[in-house]
Amino acid sequence: MRTRRYFTVSALQFSSSDSPSPGRAVPLARGVWWLRMPVAFAPGHVNVWALEDEDERGPCWTLVEAGFPDDATRASWLTALTGDLGGRPVRRILVTHCHPDHFGLGQWLAEQTGARIWMSLGEYLTAQAWFGDTPASGIDLMADFFRLHGLPAEQTDAMRREGSRYRRTVGALPVAMRRILPGEAITIGRDRWQAIVGYGHSPEHLSFHRPHDPVLIAGDMLLPKISPNTPTLPFEPEADAVGQYLDSIERFRALDPDTLVLPAHGDPYRGIAARVDALRAHHAERLDQMVALCARPTAAFDLLPHLFKRALDSFQTRFAMGEVIAHLNHLFLTGRLRREQHADGVFRFAQHEIQP
């Protein structure tokens, strides 16, 4: 394998190599191949990984992530499976979490390859709940939850008419999988990869760490240039997703500083501690900003134009509301803001009154 050079940007060292074009797989580290699948919405792609593996039948592949369920990704997979990945069968597909750009094509890819999906139980059951028609995943629950945080009735009504997007997007889910336990060590080829659980972005997100010749397949937990969405979910309305996320990424600080981080979006990099510091600083700045904006009682919806400079469509508003509520929950639960429910039923957050 050719030697890869790295260059430093904002304390992170990025690979100077070009990202692979759709349908191509390029070697990135010992036993690790990089593929990049297209996604029609920002950030425009998702990285997937092919790990050189071997079982009693001979050399094979373990894939990490399945990609978004659209025709472009299907075509890219078919090209890769008969091209750069050809010659070795796929035995298993590891999934970090259940969001459509990671898990959405899982059932199709499993059917194409004969491989089994491996993922955490929390992510599998969440996908099943979102895909089906359960009380905890109904669109009415989300609309009612956002109404409690100030979303106007015309927008909640529009949300109800749109319905759930997860089933329409994903199309099909596997009825069986192999559960990965947090902390479990998975043998892939000659290496042991440890499953590291993370919270806040999704219910039971898994990253995969190879300590020897250190590599971390980070999923969405340690993106190099953006912070992942950390939403409060309607079925867990009091959760401190922001605190859970910050606690989760802090655990990565103990990994070897030379670890190659493979993010789901953006380019591979080195510099885990610097990235953890930057993500913590980002959330600290956003939390301070919200405290300042809550000089008087303020609902989550009223904060959107101050925190997001561009107009948000209905789908983006769902993400934004979940994110803002999560930060307000964190400020309330850590004692930096008070929360009160007004006569209109809406929760509003405010700074604590200064005692004389």
Side-chain angles (χ1 to χ4, degrees):
M1 187 191 323
R2 58 179 173 158
T3 301
R4 291 186 174 269
R5 295 182 297 108
Y6 285 79
F7 62 95
T8 302
V9 177
S10 301
L12 302 184
Q13 292 183 313
F14 288 92
S15 171
S16 61
S17 301
D18 293 333
S19 61
S21 58
R24 297 303 307 271
V26 298
L28 183 68
R30 181 180 56 77
V32 179
W33 294 63
W34 178 16
L35 300 89
R36 175 164 282 182
M37 298 296 176
V39 176
F41 49 86
H45 70 270
V46 62
N47 296 322
V48 299
W49 316 98
L51 308 180
E52 295 175 6
D53 202 353
E54 187 169 355
D55 63 11
E56 67 280 0
R57 291 167 286 184
C60 56
W61 294 108
T62 286
L63 304 179
V64 184
E65 311 291 39
F68 188 78
D70 61 13
D71 290 341
T73 303
R74 291 185 185 92
S76 294
W77 270 123
L78 291 175
T79 299
L81 291 171
T82 57
D84 292 332
L85 301 183
R88 290 181 179 223
V90 176
R91 297 297 188 210
R92 51 189 165 183
I93 304 162
L94 278 55
V95 176
T96 61
H97 61 298
C98 68
H99 293 170
D101 52 332
H102 297 256
F103 181 49
L105 209 57
Q107 175 63 13
W108 177 89
L109 188 57
E111 291 172 353
Q112 291 294 314
T113 62
R116 174 74 78 194
I117 297 286
W118 292 39
M119 63 193 302
S120 70
L121 183 62
E123 297 294 328
Y124 176 76
L125 293 180
T126 299
Q128 296 289 340
W130 286 346
F131 187 84
D133 184 17
T134 63
S137 65
I139 194 65
D140 286 340
L141 179 66
M142 178 182 290
D144 291 341
F145 176 60
F146 287 163
R147 183 71 189 95
L148 286 174
H149 287 274
L151 191 68
E154 61 270 20
Q155 293 196 42
T156 57
D157 291 343
M159 187 178 295
R160 295 178 208 276
R161 289 193 297 270
E162 289 177 3
S164 174
R165 295 189 177 210
Y166 194 83
R167 185 180 190 126
R168 296 200 307 270
T169 300
V170 173
L173 290 180
V175 296
M177 61 90 183
R178 197 282 200 182
R179 181 184 183 184
I180 303 175
L181 295 172
E184 180 178 352
I186 303 169
T187 299
I188 301 175
R190 295 181 288 111
D191 298 309
R192 301 271 280 179
W193 293 75
Q194 183 183 21
I196 301 176
V197 68
Y199 304 104
H201 176 61
S202 63
E204 199 175 11
H205 182 294
L206 293 179
S207 301
F208 302 100
H209 175 234
R210 182 176 74 187
H212 176 69
D213 195 4
V215 173
L216 175 71
I217 299 176
D220 279 347
M221 293 300 291
L222 286 178
L223 303 178
K225 294 185 179 179
I226 59 175
S227 176
N229 184 244
T230 52
T232 293
L233 300 175
F235 58 77
E236 200 178 6
E238 309 295 334
D240 182 5
V242 171
Q244 292 172 1
Y245 175 73
L246 294 175
D247 288 345
S248 295
I249 63 172
E250 189 63 33
R251 301 184 195 122
F252 292 115
R253 194 188 296 277
L255 301 185
D256 189 319
D258 197 43
T259 297
L260 177 62
V261 181
L262 309 185
H265 310 287
D267 291 342
Y269 67 92
R270 300 183 194 276
I272 283 183
R275 190 58 191 143
V276 171
D277 288 342
L279 287 163
R280 295 187 69 87
H282 163 78
H283 283 281
E285 181 180 1
R286 180 55 59 98
L287 291 165
D288 288 345
Q289 183 183 10
M290 288 192 185
V291 170
L293 289 169
C294 291
R296 59 177 56 186
T298 305
F301 176 76
D302 298 325
L303 294 176
L304 297 190
H306 299 281
L307 300 172
F308 302 92
K309 301 307 180 185
R310 58 187 173 86
L312 303 175
D313 62 25
S314 176
F315 188 57
Q316 292 164 339
T317 297
R318 298 186 193 191
F319 282 90
M321 285 291 292
E323 179 90 6
V324 172
I325 294 167
H327 282 76
L328 291 171
N329 272 1
H330 181 75
L331 291 167
F332 169 63
L333 292 170
T334 55
R336 295 184 64 188
L337 290 178
R338 71 179 195 272
R339 186 184 71 182
E340 51 198 42
Q341 191 168 22
H342 289 204
D344 60 1
V346 173
F347 286 111
R348 292 178 173 85
F349 297 78
Q351 298 173 12
H352 290 284
E353 297 176 355
I354 300 176
Q355 299 298 321

